């Protein structure tokens, strides 16, 4: 079985015992698919994404990546397969310089120094941020931070990209550049977003979440043109 | 206040990215002494300098040569370091001021003014504190806090300590960021009222703690997502110990020992008196 494959099976999760945020989510991504995950605030999109790399553990159900079921034992392996881009780039960039931040993942993978340097350079080049490598993340603009945040996960050579609101808080130009960048990627991708125009441009398939459940799953055009569905799901 | 906080955050960022203006260029051109050697020399300097008896102020002053020379070597402006070290002055002054009251034994007179031992001790405490802070600031300023932590790890300090030190540093910038956003939010709606009422302090501190913990949890998630296993990785090019590091270490040990045990200032003063 290919590693480019995620299965969320009957996922239940609640931050408190009496309030379930995810209520039996079933979702499957095939190799090379780009899927948009849309839904109103509090629908459970980010919570579901956090399950994909084991940052949250479902109270019921299971996550399978390739042929590996997510567990404490396999979580490190799965985190090498899935690159997770967080909603707020400031949370993702925590090292003193861009270069060190991008190298953080590959170093944890215990790669050789030459390999780390090569990955840092190639992933920064891929997002057009090679010139920023010596800068402090705190000194970057919102768009630059987002690019570097993507580079930090690309450096780990993931097969799957999981992104939480990648276009949030970007100005129109940075947003257009980001979309162009993501269009070039051939990774399997699951993108949670409120940016329906971006979903339309990038993802042939869209999944709508509402109140912790999958409300709809299908071709992006059909989903986004379903006015009643969009209204019902607060979109 | 928000401007000051903003400047502090920028300084923290500059510390690590090495963007300290022209100082950085000078630093890169100079042959780099291994940070381990610098750390050991700084430690020896502190031990030797602090071992000078408290009432020998004149002997202490010559130790100011170390931060001045180190600043010149690392391309950092000494004036800048001296100014930054002043931040410790109020705390040290509070500690030292009691000597003035408790030790009133006269030691010498200048003109008609009798100077008590307590005053000498007071200034001695201040000079020691300033020199100590300057030595530590220079150690951090030379290559950054992270590089220093890596050097300490390579010196054998357990990684649990160096990771804690690194986290503490990051937590400081997080705390400042959250404080900055709180201060800005308050200023935007305070209509010129400057002081925060005391009754609101608890709420602000509580909010600051909650925000910072929340933010640090998200950062922690980002770290775990990229393979963090409880120890900060050391991906930097490891500088090998070289002859110049040994020479640097030996030379400073010798110089500091000579200064401490041969009392050069006292000898010079005696010589002048004889003349």
């Amino acid at each position: 079985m290919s590693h480019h494959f995620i299965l969320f099976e009957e996922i239940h999760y609640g931050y408190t015992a009496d309030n379930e945020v995810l209520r039996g989510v079933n979702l499957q991504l095939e190799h090379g698919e780009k899927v948009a995950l849309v839904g109103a605030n509090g629908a459970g999109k980010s919570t579901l994404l956090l399950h994909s790399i084991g940052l949250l553990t479902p109270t019921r159900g299971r996550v399978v990546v390739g042929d590996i079921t997510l567990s404490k034992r396999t979580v490190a392996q799965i985190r090498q397969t899935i690159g997770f881009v967080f909603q707020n780039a400031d949370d993702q960039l925590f090292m003193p310089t861009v270069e060190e931040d991008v190298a953080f993942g590959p170093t944890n993978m215990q790669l050789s120094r030459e390999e780390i340097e090569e990955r840092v350079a190639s992933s920064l080049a891929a997002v057009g941020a090679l010139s920023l490598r010596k800068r402090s993340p705190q000194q970057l603009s919102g768009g630059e931070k987002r690019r570097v945040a993507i580079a930090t996960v690309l450096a780990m050579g993931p097969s799957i990209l999981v992104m939480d609101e990648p276009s949030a808080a970007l100005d129109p130009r940075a947003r257009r550049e980001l979309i162009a960048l993501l269009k070039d990627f051939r990774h399997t991708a699951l993108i949670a977003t409120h940016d329906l125009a971006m979903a339309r441009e990038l993802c042939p398939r869209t999944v709508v979440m509402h109140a912790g459940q999958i409300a709809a799953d299908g071709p992006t055009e059909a989903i986004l043109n379903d006015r009643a569905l969009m209204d019902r799901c607060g979109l | 206040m928000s401007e000051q906080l903003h400047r502090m955050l920028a300084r923290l960022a500059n510390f690590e990215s090495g963007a300290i203006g022209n100082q950085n260029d000078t630093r890169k051109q100079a042959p780099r002494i291994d940070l381990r050697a610098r750390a050991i020399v700084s430690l020896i300097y502190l031990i030797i300098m602090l071992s000078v008896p408290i009432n020998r102020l004149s002997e202490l002053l010559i130790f100011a040569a170390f931060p001045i020379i180190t600043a010149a070597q690392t391309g950092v402006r000494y004036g800048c370091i001296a100014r930054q070290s002043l931040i410790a002055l109020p705390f040290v002054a509070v500690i030292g001021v009691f000597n003035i009251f408790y030790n009133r034994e006269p030691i010498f007179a200048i003109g008609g003014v009798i100077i008590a031992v307590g005053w000498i001790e007071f200034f001695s405490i201040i000079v020691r504190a300033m020199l100590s802070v300057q030595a530590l600031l220079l150690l951090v300023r030379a290559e950054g806090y992270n590089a220093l932590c890596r050097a300490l790890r390579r010196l054998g300090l357990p990684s649990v300590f160096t990771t804690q030190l690194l986290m503490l540093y990051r937590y400081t910038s997080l705390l400042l960021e959250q404080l900055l956003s709180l201060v800005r939010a308050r200023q935007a709606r305070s209509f010129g009222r400057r002081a925060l009422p005391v009754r609101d302090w608890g709420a602000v501190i509580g909010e600051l703690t909650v925000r910072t913990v929340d933010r640090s949890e998200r950062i922690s998630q980002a770290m775990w997502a990229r393979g963090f296993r409880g120890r900060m990785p050391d991906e930097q090019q490891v500088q090998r110990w070289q002859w110049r590091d040994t020479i640097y270490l030996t030379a400073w040990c010798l110089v500091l020992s000579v200064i401490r045990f041969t009392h050069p200032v006292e000898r010079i003063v005696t010589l002048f008196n004889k003349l």
Side-chain angles (χ1 to χ4, degrees), chain A residues 50 53 55-56 76 79-80 82 84 86 88 90-92 94-97 100-105 107-108 113 116-117 134-136 138-139 152-153 156, chain B residues 9-10 12-14 16-19 28 146 150 169-170 173 177 215 218-229 231-238:
Chain A
L50 290 173
I53 50 167
L55 287 173
L56 294 177
R79 284 175 186 168
Q80 287 183 22
I82 297 181
F84 196 106
F86 284 80
N88 186 349
D90 281 320
D91 296 340
Q92 183 131 9
F94 44 81
M95 294 295 278
T97 63
E100 285 178 78
D101 222 314
V102 178
F104 183 85
T107 312
N108 282 323
R113 195 169 304 283
I116 291 170
E117 279 173 13
K134 298 287 179 197
R135 300 261 300 272
S136 161
Q138 286 178 34
Q139 299 167 331
T152 62
V153 298
M156 296 175 73
Chain B
L9 270 169
L12 270 176
N14 284 346
E16 290 312 313
S17 64
K28 276 176 184 164
N146 289 276
R150 278 194 289 270
Y169 182 63
R170 302 239 156 80
S173 61
E177 274 176 35
R215 178 86 197 279
R218 280 183 275 135
I219 290 180
S220 165
Q221 283 185 335
M223 292 170 80
W224 287 106
R226 284 197 276 150
F228 180 63
R229 293 188 186 91
R231 190 191 147 164
M232 294 302 280
D234 192 0
E235 76 291 345
Q236 292 286 302
Q237 186 88 38
V238 176

Side-chain angles (χ1 to χ4, degrees), chain A residues 75-167:
Chain A
V75 74
Q77 200 178 346
I78 282 176
R79 284 175 186 168
Q80 287 183 22
T81 309
I82 297 181
F84 196 106
V85 181
F86 284 80
Q87 183 172 358
N88 186 349
D90 281 320
D91 296 340
Q92 183 131 9
L93 305 174
F94 44 81
M95 294 295 278
T97 63
V98 164
E99 190 172 41
E100 285 178 78
D101 222 314
V102 178
F104 183 85
T107 312
N108 282 323
M109 291 162 73
Q110 295 176 331
L111 300 176
S112 69
R113 195 169 304 283
E114 292 74 28
E115 172 82 354
I116 291 170
E117 279 173 13
E118 196 273 322
R119 283 193 183 209
V120 169
S122 62
S123 53
L124 280 173
V127 298
L130 199 54
S131 60
L132 307 175
R133 64 186 297 169
K134 298 287 179 197
R135 300 261 300 272
S136 161
Q138 286 178 34
Q139 299 167 331
L140 305 181
S141 71
E144 288 171 335
K145 279 180 187 170
R146 183 67 66 188
R147 282 168 174 274
V148 173
I150 292 171
T152 62
V153 298
L154 290 183
M156 296 175 73
S159 310
I160 303 162
L161 283 177
V162 173
M163 299 178 151
D164 194 359
E165 298 282 358
S167 62

Side-chain angles (χ1 to χ4, degrees), chain B residues 11 14-15 20-21 23 67-68 71-72 75-87 130 133-134 137-138 141:
Chain B
R11 267 190 228 130
N14 284 346
F15 250 164
I20 321 173
Q23 298 163 2
I68 293 169
V76 177
R77 280 209 316 271
Y78 178 71
C80 185
I81 290 293
R83 210 169 46 245
Q84 284 179 351
S85 68
L86 290 177
I87 202 163
M130 293 296 102
V133 173
Q134 286 171 17
L137 278 174
L138 277 165
R141 211 60 194 270

